[in-house]
Amino acid sequence: MERLTKAALATGGAAALLLGGAGTMAFWTDDGLATGTDVTSGTLTVTDGACGDWVLDGGGAVTEGIVPGDTVTADCALSVGGTGDHLALGDITVTAPTWAETNPLTGALDVTVDGATLDGTELTLPLADPVAVEAASDLVVTVAATFPEDSGNDTQALTATLEDVTVQVTQAHVVPAP
């Protein structure tokens, strides 16, 4: 009996091994090498420009001095350009005005963007929809300097000469409709 049991166990084990391997299939595999290709990033540039004379409250030139409550504007002409398949202009801001001399008047003036045109077309700011940018476009940014009504007496009889203002354009990503 012992011999029969050993033979039965051996036969059962062999059958289990054969049945267990019956579902396994082998596939050939190989590897190939695909060479890569280049992708180049686009650009967004702003070329330095210059600002014109201050205009008082959308009217004429400042002749006798600004007073608290006034806003003066100046048009600053720059060039903006870019390359990229989905490049658009997303935002325009001004920051960091530098003055020839720091005084209470320059400290009181709040400098912001009052408007802009791109290649002669007026932009509605802030931009609700991105605007396409070409390789070179004329950008005119109207900068406003507001003299707050609550300015103190220490702002009288002073001069504010704007040396520079940083005009920053921000890229937007636009994918054309198919």
Side-chain angles (χ1 to χ4, degrees):
M1 190 91 131
E2 199 175 302
R3 225 161 98 188
L4 279 174
T5 305
K6 286 182 185 179
L9 287 175
T11 303
L17 286 175
L18 288 173
L19 288 176
T24 304
M25 297 185 67
F27 291 101
W28 290 353
T29 61
D30 196 4
D31 294 331
L33 182 65
T35 57
T37 186
D38 294 341
V39 64
T40 303
S41 60
T43 62
L44 178 62
T45 59
V46 178
T47 302
D48 294 344
C51 297
D53 292 333
W54 290 112
V55 176
L56 181 60
D57 289 326
V62 178
T63 57
E64 295 189 31
I66 62 174
V67 298
D70 281 341
T71 298
V72 290
T73 58
D75 288 338
C76 303
L78 305 110
S79 180
V80 63
T83 58
D85 294 323
H86 298 151
L87 179 67
L89 186 59
D91 196 15
I92 302 170
T93 56
V94 293
T95 59
T98 57
W99 304 95
E101 174 184 333
T102 302
N103 59 45
L105 176 59
T106 61
L109 294 174
D110 181 28
V111 180
T112 59
V113 173
D114 191 49
T117 62
L118 187 65
D119 288 333
T121 301
E122 188 172 336
L123 303 175
T124 302
L125 299 175
L127 293 172
D129 296 315
V131 177
V133 176
E134 302 299 324
S137 297
D138 293 327
L139 176 66
V140 176
V141 176
T142 302
V143 175
T146 303
F147 193 5
E149 289 183 2
D150 62 353
S151 296
N153 286 335
D154 62 345
T155 60
Q156 296 182 56
L158 298 173
T159 300
T161 303
L162 182 64
E163 284 188 339
D164 295 306
V165 63
T166 300
V167 176
Q168 182 179 43
V169 296
T170 304
Q171 171 257 333
H173 182 257
V174 177
V175 178

